[in-house]
Amino acid sequence: MDNKTLSIVSYITIFGWLISFFSGKDKADGLLRYHLKQSLGLVISTFILYAVLNVLFLITELGFLVGLFGLLPWVLAIIGIINAANEVEKPLPLIGKMFENKFSFIG
C-alpha cells in the first residue's frame, strides 16, 4: 500500500493504526507520520472519552446526551480520513493540536 492509503487506514480503529504503522514504518513520508500521530491521538482520546462517558452514564440520568458525545470520535475519524485522502496535514478539531509534536517513536 502507498502512504496515502496507509494514512487513511490508520484512522480505522486501533487495528488499522497498527497495520499502517508496521506496513509503512520503513517507507513513511511526512504525510503518513503526521496522520499516524493524529490517529493515535484519536485512539487515546477515544479511550479516555468512553471511560468518562461510562462514568457519567452511571451517575446521571442524561443517557441520551451522554450517548451523543460518544459519536464524536467517529466524526473526528471521518474528518481525519478526508484530510488523509486529500493529502492535507491538518490537525483534527478539538484534539489535533495536542498530538502534533507527540509520539516521537513515529518520527
Side-chain angles (χ1 to χ4, degrees):
M1 284 190 272
D2 64 338
N3 287 330
K4 180 180 174 181
T5 305
L6 290 173
S7 296
I8 293 168
V9 170
S10 71
Y11 286 98
I12 305 171
T13 72
I14 188 66
F15 298 112
W17 189 88
L18 289 169
I19 290 168
S20 295
F21 179 73
F22 288 113
S23 295
K25 69 180 177 179
D26 296 329
K27 58 179 179 167
D29 62 353
L31 179 75
L32 179 57
R33 286 191 299 270
Y34 184 83
H35 286 288
L36 281 171
K37 290 177 183 181
Q38 291 288 299
S39 58
L40 182 58
L42 178 61
V43 167
I44 292 168
S45 298
T46 300
F47 282 127
I48 293 169
L49 176 67
Y50 283 164
V52 170
L53 289 179
N54 281 329
V55 170
L56 287 175
F57 185 76
L58 292 173
I59 63 173
T60 66
E61 307 239 347
L62 302 173
F64 177 71
L65 264 165
V66 171
L68 284 177
F69 282 107
L71 297 175
L72 184 63
W74 292 102
V75 172
L76 293 177
I78 290 169
I79 291 170
I81 289 169
I82 291 169
N83 287 341
N86 292 330
E87 298 182 18
V88 177
E89 292 182 10
K90 185 176 175 184
L92 294 172
L94 305 174
I95 62 167
K97 291 279 187 192
M98 291 187 292
F99 300 109
E100 282 185 323
N101 299 321
K102 304 291 190 261
F103 312 123
S104 59
F105 66 93
I106 293 174

XYZ file of all heavy atoms in Angstrom:
844
model
N 0.840 -1.184 0.000
C 0.000 0.000 0.000
C 0.886 1.248 0.000
O 1.953 1.248 0.593
C -0.878 0.020 1.251
C -2.045 -0.938 1.214
S -3.208 -0.688 2.569
C -2.492 -1.722 3.821
N 0.385 2.288 -0.631
C 1.133 3.535 -0.637
C 0.841 4.311 0.650
O -0.038 3.970 1.432
C 0.805 4.364 -1.878
C -0.647 4.808 -1.918
O -1.483 4.174 -1.253
O -0.930 5.796 -2.615
N 1.604 5.387 0.873
C 1.493 6.146 2.113
C 0.135 6.826 2.270
O -0.360 6.974 3.381
C 2.617 7.172 2.200
C 3.949 6.517 2.502
O 3.999 5.483 3.154
N 5.028 7.098 2.039
N -0.468 7.249 1.172
C -1.787 7.871 1.255
C -2.817 6.866 1.759
O -3.609 7.170 2.652
C -2.197 8.413 -0.110
C -3.552 9.067 -0.128
C -3.878 9.587 -1.526
C -5.279 10.104 -1.609
N -5.617 10.582 -2.960
N -2.803 5.668 1.225
C -3.725 4.624 1.650
C -3.478 4.249 3.105
O -4.424 4.075 3.880
C -3.585 3.378 0.761
O -3.772 3.762 -0.597
C -4.592 2.309 1.135
N -2.227 4.135 3.497
C -1.897 3.818 4.886
C -2.357 4.928 5.823
O -2.790 4.658 6.948
C -0.395 3.573 5.036
C 0.130 2.292 4.410
C 1.644 2.245 4.467
C -0.471 1.069 5.077
N -2.272 6.174 5.368
C -2.753 7.302 6.176
C -4.250 7.187 6.416
O -4.738 7.457 7.512
C -2.447 8.627 5.482
O -1.067 8.833 5.354
N -4.981 6.789 5.405
C -6.429 6.626 5.532
C -6.749 5.454 6.463
O -7.584 5.561 7.360
C -7.071 6.424 4.149
C -6.942 7.702 3.317
C -8.532 6.005 4.273
C -7.284 7.537 1.857
N -6.073 4.341 6.276
C -6.324 3.135 7.070
C -6.006 3.370 8.551
O -6.638 2.779 9.431
C -5.513 1.945 6.504
C -5.547 0.743 7.428
C -6.023 1.572 5.127
N -5.071 4.259 8.842
C -4.679 4.489 10.231
C -5.821 4.999 11.097
O -5.785 4.861 12.318
C -3.503 5.469 10.288
O -3.907 6.781 9.942
N -6.840 5.586 10.500
C -7.979 6.102 11.262
C -9.055 5.048 11.530
O -10.024 5.333 12.218
C -8.616 7.285 10.529
C -7.792 8.539 10.604
C -6.949 8.910 9.567
C -7.853 9.361 11.721
C -6.191 10.055 9.637
C -7.099 10.508 11.804
C -6.268 10.859 10.762
O -5.500 11.994 10.842
N -8.891 3.856 10.997
C -9.920 2.818 11.141
C -9.535 1.901 12.299
O -8.873 0.897 12.107
C -10.092 2.035 9.817
C -10.390 2.998 8.679
C -11.186 0.984 9.962
C -10.375 2.384 7.312
N -9.921 2.263 13.486
C -9.688 1.561 14.754
C -8.190 1.386 15.032
O -7.322 1.750 14.237
C -10.385 0.184 14.815
O -9.719 -0.741 13.955
C -11.844 0.292 14.467
N -7.900 0.817 16.162
C -6.509 0.586 16.568
C -5.838 -0.443 15.653
O -4.643 -0.378 15.401
C -6.413 0.160 18.058
C -4.973 0.106 18.553
C -7.096 -1.170 18.285
C -4.282 1.424 18.609
N -6.619 -1.356 15.115
C -6.047 -2.359 14.210
C -5.584 -1.717 12.906
O -4.540 -2.083 12.366
C -7.055 -3.478 13.942
C -7.436 -4.219 15.180
C -8.725 -4.117 15.678
C -6.523 -4.999 15.860
C -9.085 -4.784 16.835
C -6.868 -5.668 17.023
C -8.157 -5.561 17.510
N -6.339 -0.777 12.405
C -5.921 -0.033 11.218
C -4.657 0.758 11.486
O -3.769 0.841 10.639
N -4.566 1.321 12.682
C -3.363 2.062 13.044
C -2.152 1.128 13.081
O -1.090 1.461 12.553
C -3.524 2.749 14.405
C -2.393 3.670 14.689
C -2.300 4.982 14.345
C -1.159 3.332 15.327
N -1.081 5.470 14.734
C -0.367 4.490 15.341
C -0.648 2.178 15.885
C 0.909 4.518 15.898
C 0.624 2.191 16.433
C 1.389 3.356 16.442
N -2.311 -0.043 13.690
C -1.202 -0.997 13.768
C -0.770 -1.462 12.377
O 0.434 -1.566 12.099
C -1.597 -2.194 14.630
C -1.720 -1.920 16.128
C -2.379 -3.096 16.839
C -0.359 -1.610 16.717
N -1.726 -1.727 11.513
C -1.401 -2.128 10.141
C -0.634 -1.023 9.436
O 0.399 -1.268 8.800
C -2.689 -2.488 9.368
C -3.286 -3.779 9.900
C -2.420 -2.599 7.865
C -4.697 -4.067 9.415
N -1.096 0.199 9.566
C -0.425 1.332 8.915
C 0.968 1.553 9.477
O 1.910 1.821 8.736
C -1.249 2.612 9.085
O -2.466 2.506 8.427
N 1.093 1.437 10.797
C 2.390 1.675 11.424
C 3.418 0.639 10.987
O 4.521 0.993 10.561
C 2.249 1.668 12.951
C 3.551 1.876 13.670
C 4.153 3.122 13.688
C 4.171 0.827 14.332
C 5.351 3.316 14.346
C 5.365 1.006 14.989
C 5.966 2.249 15.003
N 3.059 -0.626 11.068
C 4.034 -1.662 10.743
C 4.257 -1.813 9.233
O 5.349 -2.165 8.802
C 3.634 -2.997 11.375
C 3.827 -3.001 12.858
C 2.736 -3.079 13.713
C 5.093 -2.891 13.412
C 2.906 -3.060 15.088
C 5.277 -2.877 14.788
C 4.182 -2.956 15.626
N 3.246 -1.543 8.425
C 3.419 -1.636 6.970
C 4.222 -0.467 6.420
O 4.938 -0.618 5.436
C 2.062 -1.654 6.271
O 1.345 -2.801 6.611
N 4.097 0.690 7.044
C 4.720 1.874 6.480
C 5.900 2.423 7.224
O 6.450 3.463 6.849
N 6.359 1.743 8.278
C 7.425 2.337 9.090
C 8.750 2.473 8.342
O 9.532 3.353 8.649
C 7.613 1.575 10.395
C 8.172 0.190 10.270
C 8.308 -0.422 11.640
C 8.814 -1.845 11.530
N 8.993 -2.466 12.822
N 8.997 1.644 7.356
C 10.251 1.735 6.615
C 10.209 2.760 5.488
O 11.240 3.293 5.095
C 10.628 0.367 6.040
C 10.907 -0.652 7.133
O 11.378 -0.250 8.215
O 10.641 -1.844 6.905
N 9.009 3.040 4.973
C 8.896 3.947 3.834
C 8.007 5.150 4.140
O 7.457 5.771 3.241
C 8.348 3.191 2.628
C 6.996 2.553 2.881
C 6.456 1.831 1.686
C 5.113 1.226 2.076
N 4.359 0.778 0.984
N 7.870 5.493 5.426
C 6.952 6.559 5.834
C 7.457 7.929 5.386
O 8.627 8.261 5.560
C 6.783 6.542 7.347
N 6.552 8.689 4.790
C 6.862 10.078 4.465
C 6.193 10.969 5.514
O 5.608 10.484 6.480
C 6.386 10.423 3.048
C 4.888 10.288 2.865
O 4.201 9.808 3.785
O 4.409 10.658 1.782
N 6.297 12.275 5.335
C 5.733 13.218 6.290
C 4.236 13.073 6.453
O 3.701 13.204 7.559
N 3.530 12.813 5.369
C 2.080 12.666 5.419
C 1.680 11.485 6.297
O 0.823 11.615 7.180
C 1.512 12.478 4.003
C -0.003 12.288 3.928
C -0.713 13.616 4.159
C -0.398 11.700 2.591
N 2.289 10.350 6.088
C 1.952 9.163 6.868
C 2.303 9.367 8.336
O 1.499 9.050 9.217
C 2.656 7.921 6.315
C 2.401 6.618 7.083
C 0.921 6.302 7.165
C 3.171 5.476 6.444
N 3.472 9.903 8.621
C 3.861 10.133 10.014
C 2.886 11.076 10.706
O 2.498 10.851 11.849
C 5.284 10.679 10.087
C 6.350 9.633 9.813
C 7.735 10.132 10.159
N 8.122 11.298 9.382
C 8.743 11.261 8.211
N 9.053 10.092 7.683
N 9.064 12.357 7.578
N 2.476 12.129 10.014
C 1.539 13.095 10.584
C 0.209 12.419 10.921
O -0.317 12.577 12.019
C 1.310 14.256 9.614
C 0.429 15.333 10.187
C 0.970 16.304 11.018
C -0.929 15.367 9.932
C 0.173 17.287 11.577
C -1.730 16.340 10.480
C -1.177 17.303 11.296
O -1.982 18.263 11.848
N -0.336 11.656 9.995
C -1.636 11.028 10.230
C -1.546 9.868 11.217
O -2.524 9.579 11.912
C -2.288 10.616 8.909
C -2.802 11.796 8.158
N -3.915 12.500 8.557
C -2.339 12.440 7.062
C -4.124 13.508 7.732
N -3.174 13.489 6.816
N -0.397 9.218 11.312
C -0.225 8.212 12.356
C -0.285 8.861 13.739
O -0.892 8.323 14.661
C 1.100 7.464 12.176
C 1.129 6.380 11.113
C 2.553 5.889 10.885
C 0.223 5.222 11.480
N 0.335 10.017 13.880
C 0.288 10.733 15.158
C -1.133 11.191 15.480
O -1.600 11.046 16.607
C 1.230 11.944 15.129
C 2.688 11.571 15.119
C 3.562 12.797 15.020
C 5.020 12.413 14.925
N 5.897 13.601 14.848
N -1.811 11.750 14.491
C -3.174 12.227 14.710
C -4.115 11.072 15.053
O -4.921 11.187 15.972
C -3.689 12.966 13.465
C -3.009 14.288 13.199
C -3.422 15.352 14.197
O -4.588 15.707 14.297
N -2.448 15.866 14.928
N -4.005 9.980 14.343
C -4.926 8.862 14.588
C -4.622 8.163 15.913
O -5.545 7.712 16.592
C -4.910 7.876 13.420
O -3.616 7.374 13.201
N -3.361 8.084 16.315
C -3.039 7.512 17.619
C -3.573 8.420 18.721
O -4.104 7.938 19.729
C -1.534 7.289 17.784
C -1.094 6.646 19.094
C -1.762 5.292 19.289
C 0.417 6.510 19.135
N -3.455 9.718 18.533
C -4.047 10.650 19.487
C -5.550 10.486 19.575
O -6.136 10.561 20.661
N -6.173 10.233 18.449
C -7.621 9.999 18.427
C -7.981 8.721 19.187
O -8.951 8.694 19.950
C -8.135 9.934 16.991
C -9.621 9.646 16.813
C -10.470 10.728 17.466
C -9.953 9.530 15.330
N -7.207 7.675 19.009
C -7.469 6.408 19.705
C -7.345 6.603 21.220
O -8.211 6.173 21.988
C -6.507 5.297 19.214
C -6.545 4.089 20.135
C -6.839 4.900 17.797
N -6.294 7.278 21.650
C -6.093 7.520 23.080
C -7.222 8.386 23.634
O -7.780 8.096 24.700
C -4.713 8.158 23.324
C -3.611 7.142 23.014
C -4.590 8.669 24.757
C -2.222 7.732 22.950
N -7.564 9.434 22.914
C -8.656 10.314 23.345
C -9.982 9.571 23.399
O -10.810 9.823 24.281
C -8.776 11.502 22.389
O -7.607 12.268 22.399
N -10.192 8.664 22.476
C -11.431 7.886 22.458
C -11.547 7.006 23.691
O -12.613 6.925 24.309
C -11.508 7.031 21.179
O -11.484 7.898 20.045
C -12.767 6.187 21.151
N -10.460 6.347 24.071
C -10.495 5.513 25.277
C -10.816 6.357 26.510
O -11.626 5.966 27.346
C -9.170 4.772 25.475
C -9.007 3.580 24.585
C -7.881 3.446 23.795
C -9.963 2.581 24.538
C -7.720 2.354 22.962
C -9.811 1.476 23.709
C -8.684 1.365 22.924
N -10.188 7.522 26.605
C -10.438 8.406 27.750
C -11.882 8.902 27.727
O -12.568 8.894 28.754
C -9.438 9.577 27.747
C -8.022 9.067 28.004
C -9.838 10.633 28.780
C -6.933 10.088 27.760
N -12.356 9.337 26.558
C -13.723 9.830 26.438
C -14.733 8.759 26.820
O -15.675 9.024 27.577
C -13.996 10.326 25.023
C -15.429 10.777 24.735
C -15.765 12.041 25.519
C -15.643 10.991 23.246
N -14.553 7.550 26.331
C -15.510 6.489 26.641
C -15.480 6.116 28.119
O -16.514 5.768 28.689
C -15.277 5.266 25.762
C -15.796 5.429 24.357
C -15.391 4.578 23.346
C -16.691 6.432 24.022
C -15.864 4.719 22.042
C -17.173 6.583 22.738
C -16.757 5.724 21.758
O -17.232 5.868 20.472
N -14.329 6.183 28.765
C -14.266 5.922 30.207
C -15.053 6.993 30.961
O -15.844 6.668 31.859
C -12.811 5.896 30.665
N -14.861 8.247 30.590
C -15.595 9.344 31.242
C -17.090 9.220 30.968
O -17.921 9.402 31.872
C -15.045 10.710 30.762
C -15.936 11.851 31.214
C -13.623 10.914 31.252
N -17.452 8.911 29.735
C -18.869 8.792 29.396
C -19.541 7.645 30.132
O -20.705 7.750 30.531
C -19.046 8.618 27.885
C -18.748 9.843 27.029
C -18.933 9.514 25.557
C -19.585 11.028 27.435
N -18.826 6.549 30.318
C -19.403 5.422 31.066
C -19.676 5.806 32.511
O -20.712 5.441 33.070
C -18.492 4.198 31.006
C -18.632 3.452 29.704
O -19.691 3.433 29.100
N -17.549 2.835 29.272
N -18.765 6.544 33.113
C -18.984 7.001 34.484
C -20.164 7.962 34.534
O -21.034 7.847 35.400
C -17.701 7.660 35.049
C -17.975 8.351 36.370
C -16.601 6.630 35.199
N -20.204 8.910 33.605
C -21.321 9.856 33.570
C -22.654 9.153 33.329
O -23.676 9.539 33.895
C -21.092 10.912 32.495
C -20.038 11.968 32.797
C -19.840 12.882 31.593
C -20.433 12.769 34.021
N -22.633 8.152 32.498
C -23.857 7.401 32.210
C -24.373 6.711 33.470
O -25.577 6.629 33.688
C -23.596 6.385 31.101
C -24.828 5.660 30.657
C -25.758 6.282 29.847
C -25.058 4.352 31.053
C -26.903 5.615 29.433
C -26.197 3.672 30.639
C -27.123 4.316 29.826
N -23.453 6.221 34.292
C -23.856 5.515 35.505
C -24.369 6.452 36.592
O -25.229 6.068 37.391
C -22.694 4.687 36.047
C -22.281 3.492 35.193
C -21.019 2.858 35.752
C -23.402 2.475 35.111
N -23.833 7.678 36.651
C -24.203 8.559 37.766
C -25.225 9.627 37.386
O -25.690 10.354 38.254
C -22.957 9.230 38.391
C -22.244 10.127 37.382
C -22.022 8.200 38.979
C -21.115 10.943 37.968
N -25.572 9.752 36.110
C -26.560 10.754 35.719
C -27.727 10.087 35.016
O -27.668 8.918 34.658
C -25.949 11.807 34.761
O -25.602 11.178 33.533
C -24.735 12.471 35.368
N -28.730 10.869 34.799
C -29.904 10.381 34.080
C -29.938 10.937 32.663
O -30.975 10.961 32.028
C -31.163 10.794 34.844
C -31.123 10.369 36.290
C -32.262 9.467 36.650
O -33.201 9.361 35.870
O -32.178 8.860 37.720
N -28.808 11.403 32.191
C -28.732 12.030 30.874
C -28.132 11.074 29.852
O -27.229 11.425 29.105
C -27.896 13.311 30.954
C -28.383 14.375 31.946
C -27.375 15.493 32.055
C -29.733 14.909 31.512
N -28.633 9.877 29.803
C -28.082 8.853 28.919
C -28.058 9.250 27.468
O -27.085 8.999 26.763
N -29.096 9.898 26.994
C -29.162 10.304 25.588
C -28.093 11.339 25.263
O -27.390 11.219 24.251
C -30.548 10.873 25.271
C -30.676 11.380 23.866
C -30.714 10.501 22.800
C -30.724 12.743 23.610
C -30.811 10.954 21.496
C -30.829 13.210 22.315
C -30.875 12.314 21.257
N -27.938 12.331 26.138
C -26.913 13.352 25.914
C -25.517 12.757 25.970
O -24.661 13.096 25.159
C -27.035 14.461 26.962
C -27.828 15.671 26.527
C -28.201 16.513 27.711
C -27.049 16.458 25.524
N -25.306 11.878 26.931
C -24.010 11.216 27.049
C -23.734 10.388 25.803
O -22.622 10.371 25.277
C -23.966 10.345 28.330
C -22.731 9.480 28.367
C -24.026 11.230 29.566
N -24.766 9.729 25.288
C -24.626 8.922 24.082
C -24.256 9.743 22.864
O -23.506 9.282 22.004
N -24.743 10.963 22.786
C -24.390 11.828 21.653
C -22.901 12.149 21.630
O -22.296 12.218 20.566
C -25.204 13.127 21.699
C -26.658 13.017 21.267
C -27.356 14.354 21.424
C -26.761 12.524 19.840
N -22.298 12.339 22.795
C -20.861 12.601 22.847
C -20.060 11.388 22.389
O -18.925 11.519 21.969
C -20.429 13.018 24.254
C -20.766 14.440 24.572
C -21.790 14.731 25.439
C -20.065 15.479 23.986
C -22.113 16.039 25.740
C -20.378 16.790 24.270
C -21.400 17.080 25.154
N -20.651 10.214 22.467
C -19.981 9.007 22.000
C -19.786 8.968 20.494
O -18.964 8.218 19.979
N -20.519 9.801 19.776
C -20.362 9.887 18.315
C -19.175 10.749 17.900
O -18.740 10.687 16.754
C -21.640 10.440 17.689
C -22.896 9.594 17.853
C -24.101 10.324 17.282
C -22.717 8.253 17.176
N -18.667 11.547 18.817
C -17.581 12.472 18.494
C -16.346 11.790 17.883
O -15.813 12.283 16.880
C -17.203 13.278 19.736
C -16.149 14.350 19.556
C -16.636 15.425 18.587
C -15.795 14.964 20.895
N -15.865 10.675 18.432
C -14.696 10.030 17.806
C -14.945 9.598 16.362
O -14.036 9.659 15.529
C -14.432 8.816 18.702
C -15.010 9.194 20.016
C -16.205 10.041 19.709
N -16.175 9.174 16.056
C -16.487 8.765 14.684
C -16.421 9.971 13.743
O -15.906 9.866 12.634
C -17.864 8.120 14.611
C -17.902 6.804 15.311
C -18.409 6.531 16.540
C -17.367 5.572 14.823
N -18.236 5.210 16.853
C -17.602 4.594 15.803
C -16.720 5.205 13.655
C -17.206 3.279 15.651
C -16.332 3.879 13.500
C -16.571 2.931 14.496
N -16.948 11.091 14.196
C -16.904 12.312 13.384
C -15.458 12.745 13.160
O -15.062 13.087 12.037
C -17.729 13.433 14.059
C -17.545 14.757 13.350
C -19.197 13.052 14.125
N -14.645 12.696 14.216
C -13.237 13.074 14.082
C -12.476 12.114 13.170
O -11.614 12.540 12.399
C -12.580 13.141 15.458
C -13.082 14.248 16.383
C -12.404 14.146 17.745
C -12.878 15.615 15.773
N -12.802 10.831 13.237
C -12.157 9.854 12.349
C -12.511 10.130 10.894
O -11.646 10.048 10.015
C -12.555 8.434 12.736
N -13.747 10.477 10.630
C -14.152 10.795 9.250
C -13.430 12.038 8.753
O -12.956 12.072 7.611
C -15.681 10.951 9.172
C -16.348 9.585 9.361
C -16.112 11.576 7.847
C -17.844 9.645 9.574
N -13.296 13.039 9.614
C -12.549 14.244 9.236
C -11.091 13.883 8.948
O -10.502 14.366 7.974
C -12.663 15.309 10.336
C -14.096 15.838 10.404
C -11.675 16.459 10.100
C -14.383 16.720 11.597
N -10.502 13.030 9.777
C -9.126 12.596 9.558
C -8.969 11.822 8.255
O -7.991 12.014 7.523
N -9.918 10.970 7.942
C -9.874 10.209 6.686
C -9.965 11.152 5.496
O -9.232 10.992 4.502
C -11.002 9.154 6.664
C -10.684 8.032 7.650
C -11.211 8.589 5.265
C -11.828 7.077 7.898
N -10.827 12.142 5.584
C -10.952 13.114 4.492
C -9.652 13.897 4.323
O -9.176 14.097 3.197
C -12.145 14.055 4.749
C -13.455 13.278 4.616
C -12.121 15.249 3.793
C -14.675 14.043 5.096
N -9.052 14.313 5.434
C -7.776 15.030 5.352
C -6.688 14.151 4.750
O -5.885 14.611 3.930
C -7.350 15.522 6.737
C -8.172 16.675 7.236
O -8.839 17.369 6.466
N -8.154 16.898 8.538
N -6.640 12.890 5.151
C -5.628 11.974 4.612
C -5.863 11.721 3.127
O -4.911 11.668 2.343
C -5.636 10.666 5.390
N -7.120 11.570 2.726
C -7.430 11.327 1.317
C -7.068 12.526 0.447
O -6.661 12.361 -0.702
C -8.912 11.001 1.152
N -7.194 13.719 1.010
C -6.821 14.941 0.278
C -5.352 15.298 0.438
O -4.917 16.348 -0.042
C -7.689 16.114 0.743
C -9.124 15.954 0.326
O -9.415 15.341 -0.696
N -10.030 16.485 1.126
N -4.604 14.447 1.156
C -3.179 14.643 1.413
C -2.896 15.977 2.093
O -1.956 16.689 1.757
C -2.369 14.488 0.127
C -2.490 13.109 -0.482
C -1.646 12.923 -1.730
O -0.716 13.710 -1.952
O -1.930 11.973 -2.467
N -3.721 16.293 3.088
C -3.599 17.532 3.841
C -3.129 17.197 5.247
O -3.646 16.290 5.879
C -4.964 18.263 3.916
C -4.870 19.506 4.764
C -5.466 18.578 2.527
N -2.152 17.928 5.741
C -1.679 17.754 7.111
C -2.354 18.796 7.986
O -1.759 19.778 8.414
C -0.164 17.880 7.177
C 0.556 16.753 6.482
C 2.061 16.853 6.595
O 2.573 17.685 7.375
O 2.738 16.097 5.881
N -3.615 18.567 8.270
C -4.433 19.477 9.059
C -4.820 18.781 10.354
O -5.300 17.645 10.323
C -5.680 19.860 8.261
C -6.547 20.884 8.906
C -7.694 21.245 7.972
C -8.644 22.192 8.650
N -9.813 22.476 7.810
N -4.632 19.437 11.511
C -4.957 18.771 12.778
C -6.457 18.535 12.928
O -7.276 19.294 12.414
C -4.453 19.751 13.839
C -4.383 21.067 13.161
C -4.114 20.779 11.708
N -6.779 17.484 13.638
C -8.176 17.174 13.927
C -8.757 18.254 14.835
O -8.059 18.776 15.701
C -8.296 15.818 14.617
C -7.917 14.598 13.794
C -7.906 13.354 14.681
C -8.869 14.414 12.638
N -10.018 18.590 14.654
C -10.638 19.573 15.553
C -10.616 19.078 17.003
O -10.691 17.882 17.260
C -12.073 19.673 15.043
C -12.049 19.126 13.662
C -10.925 18.147 13.616
N -10.489 19.993 17.920
C -10.535 19.761 19.367
C -9.287 19.095 19.936
O -8.798 19.494 20.988
C -11.769 18.944 19.778
C -13.129 19.471 19.370
C -14.220 18.462 19.734
C -13.416 20.804 20.026
N -8.742 18.084 19.292
C -7.648 17.319 19.904
C -6.360 17.310 19.078
O -5.305 16.959 19.583
C -8.065 15.855 20.155
C -8.397 15.147 18.847
C -9.210 15.767 21.129
C -8.520 13.660 18.965
N -6.432 17.686 17.832
C -5.302 17.520 16.921
C -4.045 18.267 17.310
O -2.940 17.755 17.176
N -4.180 19.488 17.803
C -3.004 20.288 18.173
C -2.219 19.645 19.309
O -1.007 19.794 19.388
C -3.432 21.700 18.584
C -3.950 22.539 17.453
C -2.827 23.126 16.683
C -3.417 24.101 15.665
N -2.464 24.509 14.690
N -2.907 18.917 20.181
C -2.230 18.277 21.322
C -1.265 17.186 20.885
O -0.304 16.893 21.588
C -3.259 17.666 22.276
C -4.093 18.662 23.015
S -5.146 17.895 24.254
C -6.309 16.990 23.235
N -1.513 16.594 19.733
C -0.747 15.416 19.338
C 0.201 15.660 18.174
O 0.824 14.718 17.691
C -1.701 14.265 19.009
C -2.556 13.873 20.170
C -3.913 14.154 20.182
C -2.011 13.232 21.257
C -4.694 13.812 21.255
C -2.792 12.875 22.337
C -4.127 13.161 22.346
N 0.322 16.896 17.702
C 1.192 17.155 16.556
C 2.662 16.893 16.869
O 3.398 16.410 16.021
C 1.015 18.606 16.085
C -0.213 18.818 15.277
C -0.305 20.224 14.712
O 0.106 21.169 15.408
O -0.782 20.345 13.586
N 3.103 17.192 18.072
C 4.512 17.035 18.419
C 4.759 15.910 19.421
O 5.795 15.869 20.054
C 5.051 18.354 18.975
C 4.953 19.464 17.967
O 5.189 19.246 16.780
N 4.588 20.647 18.419
N 3.809 15.024 19.540
C 3.954 13.889 20.463
C 4.329 12.622 19.676
O 4.417 12.640 18.465
C 2.626 13.636 21.209
C 2.097 14.814 21.960
C 2.949 15.160 23.147
C 2.292 16.188 24.041
N 2.738 17.533 23.844
N 4.556 11.577 20.396
C 4.840 10.245 19.822
C 6.111 10.258 18.949
O 6.075 9.989 17.768
C 3.634 9.732 19.009
C 2.322 9.855 19.719
C 1.291 10.569 19.154
C 2.127 9.258 20.943
C 0.073 10.690 19.800
C 0.914 9.373 21.611
C -0.114 10.089 21.033
N 7.228 10.551 19.577
C 8.496 10.636 18.848
C 8.904 9.303 18.225
O 9.704 9.289 17.286
C 9.603 11.127 19.788
O 9.750 10.246 20.880
N 8.358 8.183 18.680
C 8.717 6.901 18.086
C 8.174 6.754 16.660
O 8.623 5.910 15.908
C 8.219 5.736 18.953
C 6.717 5.625 19.039
C 6.021 4.825 18.160
C 6.021 6.320 20.019
C 4.646 4.726 18.245
C 4.653 6.213 20.105
C 3.954 5.421 19.221
N 7.221 7.605 16.292
C 6.678 7.550 14.931
C 7.614 8.266 13.954
O 7.775 7.857 12.820
C 5.255 8.144 14.887
C 4.308 7.257 15.679
C 4.751 8.285 13.456
C 2.916 7.809 15.842
N 8.237 9.310 14.398
C 9.184 10.002 13.514
C 9.045 11.480 13.490
O 8.234 12.137 13.982
